[in-house]
Amino acid sequence: MMTTDPFDDDKLREECGVFGIFGYNDASALAALGLHALQHRGQEAAGIVAYDGEQFNAHRDLGHVGDIFSSGDVMTRLAGQSAIGHVRYSTTGETALRNVQPLFADLHYGGFALAHNGNLTNARHLRQDLVRNGSLFQSTMDTEVIIHLIAMSRGVTLIDRMIEAVRKIEGAYSLVAITDSSVVAVRDPLGVRPLVLGKLGDAYVVASETCALDIIGADFVRDVEAGEMIVLDSAGIHSMRPFPELKQRACIFEFIYFARPDSIMEGHSIYEARKRIGVELANETPIEADVVIPVPDSGVPAAIGYAAEARIPFELGIIRNHYVGRTFIEPGQQIRHLGVRLKHNANRGMIEGKRVILVDDSIVRGTTSIKIVEMVRAAGATEVHMRIAAPPTAHSCFYGIDTPETSELLASQMNVPEMAEHIGVDSLAFISMDGLYRAMGEEKRDNETPQFCDACFTGDYPTRLTDHSEPTNAPQLSLLAELA
């Protein structure tokens, strides 16, 4: 099956989502609901591991949460009062069943399963050392490196072993793990990847976003802090600090695009933050026009903020079909062109004869923007101006977001006027870096100690990129192909 929609190849891909719960009957049912709320973070695969007091039970598969966990038999087998779950979009390792999380291992201290959102920047070097010392890898994921580090540790307790392991890894991550007596969560020392803590009755919940708490009726307690390890067990909640304290640098693209708009992150409503970005964008890049139109769906809140500040009418001039999947039709050139209309269609009555401002969250390769502009002009727009609710994306992400190689990013190859000509708009403008930070409640970007991770815009990576800057002789794994 191949997609006929070129839009699918021109967005930064969500990373992954994690969920964990301890101390609640039918924990796996709540985990499945939580994963459903986090589906936007990964649509390739999902899995749950639960503990029923005697044994661990797991179910993992390729596909969407609603399909994988729709069977009553499956959910019955996932009995227990503790569970962790994961939704996946692959940033490291191919799409295959062996790479579906959570990963499970029998360690010296008993069963252990781990799920991971993010990316390790020294995984290749660690893997090389582990293989040299006898470790046998069964997947191509950096997540498995963490399990081997725990297994090789000489720590007295499993928590000691986990602490020793996470002190060796670099990059960005939120981890959830399950043992026969606890659920453990860890957030990386800079807090790049998100993680929140909730409470449901006497049970505690950890998840990538607050929308996963909302769906099960859990109360939001707080964000898991950068560099914090939380242990949930029968005695309650325990907080540990295994790392030296660092200034937090949460991923700013979570606020621009990745997180669900109904989530709360680091004290910010995602929806309100996106509206404020639109307000700043309108103040920085005014243009005379008749209508403001969002590129759905991620451009909607910023377009609302832009239109309100610019006092220009907001209209849904592009309608998105939410029921588009994949097609068995061989995607020849004509079918590819028609495939664009499967997902987006111009609302001609809101466009014809008007000067249009299109608001989108980002430009990656530019292919989406070209098709959108062509569609809007074909619907009768007299002028088309594009405003982007992020600075130019000119650098690859190494922290769990699937971005193209830098050479494929339009902003790394062209300046703004060249991009405008390439896309076919009358004008193009991006929010400034300081404007983005103002929308996040900061006076401006602190260039000495930035408040967020914004490496995809600035190239200012907050951690070492060991695997990308130091050569290694570690070969690619030559695993058997796996039929889905």
Side-chain angles (χ1 to χ4, degrees):
M1 291 186 294
M2 298 183 67
T3 179
T4 62
D5 188 357
F7 292 137
D8 288 344
D9 196 38
D10 195 33
K11 282 290 184 184
L12 299 184
R13 297 293 186 175
E14 296 87 343
E15 323 94 340
C16 296
V18 296
F19 184 95
I21 181 168
F22 183 90
Y24 199 92
N25 290 328
D26 297 325
S28 60
L30 297 189
L33 288 170
L35 294 182
H36 194 277
L38 298 172
Q39 185 77 85
H40 61 288
R41 300 186 70 86
Q43 298 90 49
E44 289 187 354
I48 291 174
V49 173
Y51 183 68
D52 64 9
E54 294 183 359
Q55 67 179 18
F56 292 89
N57 303 284
H59 186 67
R60 306 176 301 153
D61 206 348
L62 304 177
H64 287 184
V65 174
D67 297 325
I68 297 170
F69 297 107
S70 60
S71 164
D73 289 341
V74 167
M75 300 312 298
T76 298
R77 291 197 302 271
L78 293 173
Q81 292 193 333
S82 59
I84 64 170
H86 185 267
V87 288
R88 181 171 193 260
Y89 176 80
S90 58
T91 56
T92 300
E94 84 276 33
T95 302
L97 192 57
R98 72 172 70 87
N99 285 337
V100 181
Q101 299 185 43
L103 295 183
F104 180 81
D106 264 317
L107 303 179
H108 174 67
Y109 282 90
F112 178 85
L114 179 71
H116 168 210
N117 165 217
N119 219 45
L120 307 186
T121 56
N122 65 337
R124 231 172 34 236
H125 277 72
L126 291 171
R127 182 191 292 265
Q128 185 178 28
D129 291 340
L130 288 163
V131 170
R132 187 182 297 118
N133 289 317
S135 291
L136 301 173
F137 281 80
Q138 298 297 312
S139 79
T140 58
M141 288 186 298
D142 53 358
T143 313
E144 191 177 1
V145 168
I146 304 171
I147 290 181
H148 283 279
L149 289 173
I150 295 169
M152 299 288 285
S153 168
R154 298 299 181 185
V156 176
T157 68
L158 181 56
I159 298 302
D160 291 336
R161 291 180 173 212
M162 284 192 69
I163 289 173
E164 183 180 331
V166 297
R167 283 175 175 167
K168 293 179 179 178
I169 61 179
E170 300 169 1
Y173 52 86
S174 288
L175 310 176
V176 293
I178 187 171
T179 74
D180 59 6
S181 61
S182 64
V183 166
V184 185
V186 189
R187 193 173 180 192
D188 67 76
L190 291 169
V192 178
R193 298 270 66 86
L195 195 63
V196 297
L197 174 68
K199 198 168 190 293
L200 181 62
D202 294 328
Y204 283 98
V205 185
V206 287
S208 292
E209 294 184 37
T210 59
C211 61
L213 306 180
D214 296 337
I215 198 171
I216 64 171
D219 295 323
F220 170 66
V221 176
R222 62 177 175 85
D223 291 282
V224 176
E225 296 182 12
E228 184 178 15
M229 172 182 280
I230 287 178
V231 180
L232 309 176
D233 60 22
S234 58
I237 178 171
H238 317 274
S239 174
M240 306 175 190
R241 301 286 180 163
F243 308 102
E245 187 172 347
L246 298 173
K247 183 176 179 181
Q248 182 166 330
R249 290 186 65 176
C251 172
I252 203 162
F253 224 103
E254 292 280 356
F255 300 92
I256 296 168
Y257 173 64
F258 287 124
R260 248 176 59 163
D262 52 334
S263 283
I264 307 293
M265 198 169 283
E266 308 299 340
H268 296 277
S269 158
I270 298 296
Y271 179 77
E272 291 295 336
R274 290 174 186 170
K275 283 177 63 178
R276 291 195 303 269
I277 291 172
V279 169
E280 291 290 339
L281 188 58
N283 287 327
E284 289 187 346
T285 64
I287 191 78
E288 290 189 4
D290 302 307
V291 64
V292 174
I293 291 174
V295 177
D297 288 320
S298 54
V300 171
I304 292 172
Y306 190 107
E309 186 68 13
R311 297 194 169 123
I312 298 173
F314 167 92
E315 298 290 353
L316 295 178
I318 301 169
I319 306 302
R320 180 182 174 189
N321 181 353
H322 291 266
Y323 304 97
V324 177
R326 293 179 178 268
T327 176
F328 288 99
I329 301 173
E330 182 65 28
Q333 187 60 39
Q334 183 178 2
I335 296 298
R336 283 186 182 275
H337 180 70
L338 293 175
V340 175
R341 301 180 196 173
L342 289 174
K343 193 168 186 179
H344 296 84
N345 192 45
N347 187 3
R348 181 177 288 271
M350 298 297 105
I351 293 173
E352 192 167 20
K354 296 180 180 178
R355 298 168 296 174
V356 172
I357 298 173
L358 291 173
V359 178
D360 203 355
D361 60 86
S362 61
I363 292 179
V364 183
R365 291 183 174 93
T367 52
T368 295
S369 302
I370 291 170
K371 294 298 184 183
I372 288 286
V373 171
E374 288 176 350
M375 181 187 301
V376 171
R377 288 202 186 278
T382 59
E383 296 177 13
V384 181
H385 306 274
M386 184 164 276
R387 296 295 181 264
I388 306 299
T393 304
H395 304 273
S396 295
C397 175
F398 299 101
Y399 299 120
I401 297 171
D402 187 37
T403 54
E405 295 292 329
T406 297
S407 61
E408 297 180 40
L409 295 169
L410 196 64
S412 73
Q413 305 301 313
M414 301 180 183
N415 60 31
V416 175
E418 290 170 339
M419 292 171 72
E421 182 178 359
H422 178 75
I423 291 167
V425 290
D426 296 288
S427 75
L428 171 66
F430 297 78
I431 194 170
S432 70
M433 188 62 66
D434 284 343
L436 177 59
Y437 273 73
R438 283 194 299 272
M440 296 307 302
E442 305 288 343
E443 183 179 348
K444 62 179 181 178
R445 183 183 193 266
D446 184 339
N447 293 328
E448 295 298 318
T449 55
Q451 301 93 320
F452 294 92
C453 177
D454 53 22
C456 52
F457 307 132
T458 63
D460 181 2
Y461 295 99
T463 74
R464 293 193 306 170
L465 303 179
T466 302
D467 286 342
H468 303 275
S469 58
E470 300 177 15
T472 175
N473 296 321
Q476 292 290 326
L477 291 187
S478 54
L479 294 175
L480 291 172
E482 191 172 275
L483 297 178

